[in-house]
Amino acid sequence: MRNFEPVFLPEPRNLFEKAGRMVRGYTMAAGDAILITIEAFSFGRRLPRRRAELMRQMYACSIKSFFIAAVVALCMGMILSRQAGVTLSRFNQQEQVGTLVIISLVRELGPVMTALILAASIGSAYAAEIGTMTISEEVSALKVMSINPVDYLVSPRLYAVLIMCPALTMFSELIGAFGGMLVAKTQLGVSPQSFYKNAILELELRDVYIGLLKSILFAIVIVTVAAYQGLTTTDGAVGVGRSTRRAVVISFLYIMVIGFFVTSLFY
Amino acid sequence: MLEFRNITRSFGDRVVLDKVSFNINKGETFVIVGPSGTGKSVSLRIMIGLLTPDSGEVLLNGQDLIAMDPEQRSAMNSHFGVLFQSGALLAWLTVAQNVALPLLERGVDEDEAEARTMEALRMVKLEHACDRKPSEISGGMQKRAGLARAIVTRPDVILYDEPTSGLDPVMSRHIDALIKELQQRLGVTSVVVTHDLHSAFSIGDRIAMLSDGHIIAMGTPEEFCASDSDIVQGFIKAQFSAGYIRGIKI
Ligand SMILES: Nc1ncnc2c1ncn2[C@@H]1O[C@H](COP(=O)(O)OP(=O)(O)O)[C@@H](O)[C@H]1O
Ligand SMILES: [Mg+2]
């Protein structure tokens, strides 16, 4: 159980010192966040005792993001289908629209979109919740009771999102494909059968696995960043606002960067 | 029993505690007073290991808490019960669940935890509110629930951070009476941090005043009132216009 104490350093004297401070600050924050992740994973052994809390978090996670994820996925599928359809029909290839829509969704858009939605809805909520608990001394109270906040607060949230993020990703992909199919049928004259059949012929199981691997990595990023921001919150209500904003912005950045690296690693 | 030896802690350029030393005896109620922002909460957080001092030692029964490795230190937590300024109850648990939490986390079985929870809630006269959420009860009740949670693990030392701040005078005196009663019934050592001198005089065996990083007066309430420090006299005058406290002319 570590305490996150503010670090005080004298004013930087020149630009180099300022840059050095920043690098040092970011490196230390990243180190702390990685330690929190490892700790939260290792507390998985106590999850059977935290069943109720895990269920509560999974429920909250799905309720908070289910609707918005469905709407975004549906629209995304429809937009993709329409855009792809316009171009494909120029070459008389509109039968392939399903392949394009579904492969884009499964490989890239499904995991990334779902993660962005979760970062905005769940990550921000976690940072605000844990941040408020930090400034109102609830986290301190847990520590005094010898309850590790990473065990009690972060671990159930991590495992909840680890389960819900891939699940929600698959759900979004199905909804997105459905939206694409609607547009293909009504506007491009492609039958649902050929929309799905062409896609399934092209789609490999590997694509699904890599998509899910991404969504698992994204889940870790979302919870870790939010937990780190929450546990290091200072300065009252203003600080909670700052932590929440940082949690969302930093998660967004990492989701994009990790998404790119995983893609370039496997394709 | 609990001793501060030359504790120094600064935040940036600001030295909040400067070589502060005092010794709290077993079974006494030790009150640290001082205006807001003088480092009372910082002292309390150092005592319970939530903040590390820059230098100095905190001794509990002769063992240095600062030098311990994290695991040993964590085991020492069972000696402490803390009532935080805002109560610090978990919002999603009921009062009874909050009080039972430290027991269940320590692996006490459920029947015993329930019995001890109800016993603690009875001591703070809150058994009727056990099924309510913290947001549904008043500030005074939240503090009493926090107190029940602090005593349910049967600590040797109970620490209170501003137990009466944010409460009306009637509830404040009620909390004072409760602190005294628990003191007598449980025989614990109490450390109270407050800016409320009414409270300090009514519960304290010894009072210490913190100002500018130093203890500027320390002793029984009588000795404290007799201090020739202007700051102490000013602090007393600000809270009592005239008259007697505990039969002492101020
Ligand atoms: N985490 C922190 N970061 C920076 N300064 C702090 C921190 N905690 C306390 N301080 C400073 O220490 C001083 C004493 O704070 P505190 O002990 O909370 O006062 P009080 O006596 O009212 O309880 C304050 O002036 C505050 O500026
Ligand atoms: Mg304080």
Side-chain angles (χ1 to χ4, degrees):
Chain A
M1 264 187 279
R2 273 155 358 103
N3 299 326
F4 296 99
E5 294 181 20
V7 182
F8 293 94
L9 296 168
E11 276 295 301
R13 279 165 308 191
N14 53 41
L15 213 62
F16 288 111
E17 226 177 70
K18 206 167 172 180
R21 289 282 160 77
M22 271 172 67
V23 172
R24 178 178 183 276
Y26 289 133
T27 316
M28 285 176 58
D32 280 338
I34 289 170
L35 287 178
I36 290 177
T37 316
I38 294 171
E39 223 182 335
F41 266 109
S42 77
F43 279 119
R45 63 180 190 274
R46 306 188 54 165
L47 225 49
R49 286 181 56 195
R50 306 227 180 281
R51 255 191 328 269
E53 178 65 6
L54 179 68
M55 296 310 289
R56 198 175 75 89
Q57 291 302 339
M58 280 170 56
Y59 176 75
C61 187
S62 49
I63 289 296
K64 276 180 195 156
S65 43
F66 189 84
F67 179 72
I68 178 75
V71 173
V72 171
L74 189 73
C75 294
M76 192 56 75
M78 287 163 67
I79 292 168
L80 266 180
S81 185
R82 174 80 208 174
Q83 289 285 8
V86 169
T87 310
L88 286 174
S89 54
R90 263 201 262 149
F91 307 101
N92 236 343
Q93 290 290 322
Q94 59 268 47
E95 292 297 319
Q96 288 302 325
V97 69
T99 318
L100 217 149
V101 168
I102 290 181
I103 287 202
S104 318
L105 280 172
V106 170
R107 283 189 183 171
E108 301 291 342
L109 289 171
V112 170
M113 256 178 356
T114 313
L116 292 181
I117 289 169
L118 282 179
S121 58
I122 303 299
S124 65
Y126 286 174
E129 269 168 40
I130 298 178
T132 307
M133 292 183 67
T134 302
I135 60 157
S136 63
E137 300 184 305
E138 287 163 50
V139 171
S140 297
L142 288 175
K143 287 181 186 165
V144 173
M145 293 187 279
S146 285
I147 301 173
N148 191 329
V150 177
D151 170 17
Y152 192 72
L153 299 174
V154 183
S155 185
R157 286 173 168 77
L158 174 66
Y159 283 97
V161 177
L162 271 177
I163 296 167
M164 291 315 295
C165 187
L168 211 60
T169 300
M170 302 241 265
F171 165 78
S172 302
E173 288 165 7
L174 288 177
I175 298 277
F178 176 75
M181 181 276 287
L182 283 185
V183 169
K185 182 170 185 300
T186 54
Q187 298 186 12
L188 306 169
V190 178
S191 74
Q193 288 86 338
S194 81
F195 181 89
Y196 285 121
K197 204 183 80 204
N198 282 331
I200 286 167
L201 285 177
E202 279 298 312
L203 195 69
E204 293 173 38
L205 209 50
R206 178 169 174 274
D207 294 326
V208 180
Y209 287 151
I210 295 170
L212 290 184
L213 169 71
K214 276 187 194 169
S215 72
I216 284 172
L217 294 176
F218 295 157
I220 297 171
V221 165
I222 292 167
V223 179
T224 311
V225 170
Y228 174 78
Q229 291 298 335
L231 289 172
T232 55
T233 302
T234 51
D235 304 335
V238 179
V240 174
R242 186 172 53 216
S243 296
T244 309
R245 179 173 51 78
R246 279 190 190 158
V248 175
V249 171
I250 296 173
S251 304
F252 269 40
L253 285 176
Y254 275 110
I255 287 167
M256 288 306 172
V257 172
I258 290 175
F260 172 76
F261 276 109
V262 174
T263 299
S264 32
L265 194 67
F266 287 102
Y267 293 101
Chain B
M1 169 180 211
L2 185 61
E3 188 180 349
F4 254 41
R5 270 196 202 154
N6 293 323
I7 291 288
T8 301
R9 169 76 210 209
S10 46
F11 293 99
D13 294 337
R14 199 172 131 65
V15 182
V16 176
L17 299 177
D18 186 9
K19 291 206 164 62
V20 170
S21 301
F22 51 76
N23 190 1
I24 301 168
N25 303 317
K26 192 166 169 48
E28 79 171 334
T29 301
F30 187 79
V31 186
I32 302 174
V33 298
S36 293
T38 48
K40 303 185 297 296
S41 298
V42 168
S43 316
L44 196 119
R45 294 176 75 78
I46 288 175
M47 268 180 226
I48 51 185
L50 292 173
L51 208 64
T52 338
D54 299 331
S55 64
E57 295 164 5
V58 180
L59 304 173
L60 178 68
N61 298 324
Q63 289 174 284
D64 185 3
L65 298 181
I66 308 297
M68 285 182 180
D69 61 52
E71 233 145 79
Q72 273 180 309
R73 179 61 194 80
S74 183
M76 299 304 278
N77 278 336
S78 61
H79 292 281
F80 296 113
V82 185
L83 171 59
F84 285 94
Q85 197 157 345
S86 53
L89 302 170
L90 302 181
W92 64 91
L93 298 179
T94 64
V95 166
Q97 286 169 334
N98 263 293
V99 176
L101 180 68
L103 295 176
L104 295 175
E105 287 291 320
R106 271 167 213 210
V108 173
D109 73 66
E110 279 186 26
D111 294 336
E112 192 189 338
E114 195 187 323
R116 279 170 67 177
T117 299
M118 289 318 288
E119 184 193 336
L121 284 173
R122 259 196 301 282
M123 272 193 223
V124 299
K125 302 176 187 66
L126 212 60
E127 61 273 36
H128 58 281
C130 63
D131 288 328
R132 285 203 252 163
K133 292 277 173 71
S135 57
E136 299 161 0
I137 60 178
S138 71
M141 288 163 88
Q142 287 178 12
K143 290 214 178 183
R144 272 146 64 199
L147 186 50
R149 186 179 63 182
I151 60 174
V152 78
T153 51
R154 300 179 182 151
D156 316 324
V157 186
I158 306 180
L159 303 102
Y160 303 83
D161 192 357
E162 306 273 3
T164 58
S165 82
L167 301 182
D168 62 81
V170 176
M171 182 49 88
S172 296
R173 300 296 81 84
H174 188 78
I175 295 276
D176 288 345
L178 196 58
I179 293 175
K180 263 204 259 189
E181 189 190 326
L182 288 177
Q183 172 72 17
Q184 281 151 11
R185 274 175 69 175
L186 306 173
V188 290
T189 307
S190 310
V191 183
V192 183
V193 152
T194 184
H195 62 252
D196 178 357
L197 274 181
H198 282 277
S199 170
F201 283 125
S202 84
I203 60 180
D205 293 319
R206 279 196 305 147
I207 301 174
M209 176 148 172
L210 201 57
S211 171
D212 265 338
H214 300 281
I215 299 274
I216 55 166
M218 178 157 63
T220 61
E222 290 79 2
E223 290 165 356
F224 184 79
C225 287
S227 161
D228 49 17
S229 157
D230 290 343
I231 302 174
V232 175
Q233 293 305 329
F235 194 62
I236 296 175
K237 293 264 155 53
Q239 296 192 39
F240 299 96
S241 46
Y244 292 85
I245 309 152
R246 278 192 169 186
I248 310 155
K249 174 103 176 77
I250 55 161

